[in-house]
Amino acid sequence: MANLRDPSVVLYDTLVVVKLWHAFYGIFLWEFFTTLDFEWSFIRGHRRYRWTIWIYSLARITTLIAVILNTVGFSFSRPINCQVLVILEFTFAFFAVACASLLMVLRAVAIWNHNKIVLALGTSLWGTNTAFLIQGTVRLRSIWGPEESVCMVPNSDVAKLNVVVTFITNLVLLLMTVIGLLRLRVGGGGMLNLGRFLWRQGIICLSLGVVAGIPPVVFLFLNLNDVFNLMFQVPALIALTIAATRSYRSLMSFSPDTINGSGFPNSGLSFAKVKGVPDPDGTIPHGSICVAVHTTHEQNSLSQETL
């Protein structure tokens, strides 16, 4: 078996990683620029302002900056200050991870109708994850690789802990979302329309974020060489950002009233159990569930729609 730490092998692995990362850069750039109309709809006032749009935008913008910095880092042919460049790259990348995870936390909390236990658990997970991301960034070291002509990270295995914590955070958020969605079942009659939508959009997106986090964890534990340790971290970042932001856009666009469909805390969308949905004769059958959509108009009126 070849020595994976041999300089010639590391050089070959580096070329493979560069091609892989550039493919994912293209995927993210396509996603970023083809969905700019969503932010533009807020700027033009077509959608009502929600504070969560800042988290959504920061997740996208910081990922974009990380992609640009990575691309620039591959463009040099002579030694540079690698420590500064790599710290900047990982700072923006980890900030993007934190924002994407926060979108998932807020979404899980909204599904659970702002349950205090879910809120506390989600906040704790996010805070712990963010702390480990900061710790991993501070401990990184980078040097110029003369043979590879790129910045190398000789202690890439220090990221093991924060990558594992990120994976666990996404996995727990996925389970929280699944359990929350299962609570929307109405007896044996299947899911409500909103429940079906969230099941398709939420589980697919969160599963993507979880699955994308598995390869970095595996290769960091294998610790074959520094290139393999970092190989799947950029794809995992891009997959997580795309998954979280697509989920956010889907929920914002689901409500018949585009202005009121964010689905996040303070957005106006909440799940409310009631004794039933009125029949035409005014009676309320037992066991129904309604979704209350609260909208604030100029007269501060309150409306309620039942699915």
Side-chain angles (χ1 to χ4, degrees):
M1 182 177 177
N3 180 11
L4 294 178
R5 296 185 182 273
D6 183 86
S8 61
V9 176
V10 172
L11 175 59
Y12 177 79
D13 294 340
T14 301
L15 295 176
V16 172
V17 168
V18 170
K19 293 179 180 179
L20 175 66
W21 285 8
H22 276 79
F24 276 88
Y25 295 162
I27 293 172
F28 175 76
L29 291 175
W30 177 84
E31 167 78 10
F32 184 89
F33 288 108
T34 57
T35 54
L36 278 175
D37 59 322
F38 183 75
E39 283 101 332
W40 186 242
S41 67
F42 281 92
I43 295 173
R44 298 188 64 183
H46 292 171
R47 296 178 188 270
R48 180 170 298 167
Y49 170 77
R50 302 295 177 189
W51 65 271
T52 50
I53 188 62
W54 291 102
I55 303 173
Y56 167 88
S57 297
L58 281 174
R60 283 161 53 87
I61 292 172
T62 50
T63 303
L64 177 64
I65 295 173
V67 166
I68 293 173
L69 288 173
N70 270 285
T71 305
V72 170
F74 289 131
S75 303
F76 294 101
S77 58
R78 53 185 177 181
I80 60 172
N81 190 335
C82 289
Q83 184 64 25
V84 173
L85 178 62
V86 169
I87 290 297
L88 283 174
E89 290 175 1
F90 276 85
T91 297
F92 282 104
F94 287 161
F95 194 91
V97 170
C99 289
S101 295
L102 184 56
L103 284 177
M104 293 182 174
V105 170
L106 294 174
R107 196 167 164 284
V109 170
I111 289 174
W112 279 88
N113 197 24
H114 311 160
N115 180 280
K116 292 182 179 179
I117 296 177
V118 174
L119 177 61
L121 178 58
T123 304
S124 300
L125 283 169
W126 182 81
T128 303
N129 187 27
T130 302
F132 277 104
L133 290 174
I134 295 172
Q135 182 254 10
T137 304
V138 172
R139 294 180 61 191
L140 281 173
R141 297 291 178 266
S142 181
I143 59 174
W144 177 259
E147 296 185 7
E148 299 85 358
S149 295
V150 294
C151 291
M152 304 295 290
V153 182
N155 66 335
S156 56
D157 58 318
V158 301
K160 182 187 300 182
L161 198 55
N162 59 270
V163 171
V164 170
V165 171
T166 298
F167 171 72
I168 294 175
T169 298
N170 293 334
L171 179 60
V172 174
L173 289 174
L174 174 63
L175 295 175
M176 289 168 59
T177 303
V178 170
I179 296 172
L181 289 170
L182 291 176
R183 294 170 65 249
L184 296 180
R185 287 189 179 276
V186 184
M191 285 193 171
L192 297 174
N193 290 335
L194 182 58
R196 292 194 197 96
F197 173 81
L198 292 176
W199 184 271
R200 292 194 302 268
Q201 298 295 326
I203 299 306
I204 291 175
C205 289
L206 286 179
S207 296
L208 175 61
V210 172
V211 171
I214 294 176
V217 172
V218 172
F219 277 89
L220 277 167
F221 274 95
L222 292 174
N223 196 22
L224 301 174
N225 60 40
D226 291 316
V227 178
F228 274 118
N229 289 347
L230 299 173
M231 177 180 287
F232 293 102
Q233 292 192 32
V234 167
L237 163 66
I238 291 174
L240 180 63
T241 301
I242 291 177
T245 53
R246 274 181 174 254
S247 175
Y248 181 88
R249 288 196 303 272
S250 297
L251 285 174
M252 285 289 286
S253 303
F254 179 69
S255 174
D257 179 359
T258 302
I259 291 179
N260 302 314
S262 73
F264 289 102
N266 298 329
S267 66
L269 179 63
S270 61
F271 299 99
K273 288 186 177 181
V274 297
K275 291 183 179 180
V277 179
D279 284 334
D281 60 358
T283 61
I284 300 178
H286 179 70
S288 298
I289 294 179
C290 76
V291 175
V293 181
H294 307 286
T295 59
T296 305
H297 302 287
E298 291 181 1
Q299 298 85 3
N300 294 321
S301 61
L302 185 67
S303 66
Q304 186 180 69
E305 297 180 2
T306 302
L307 296 181

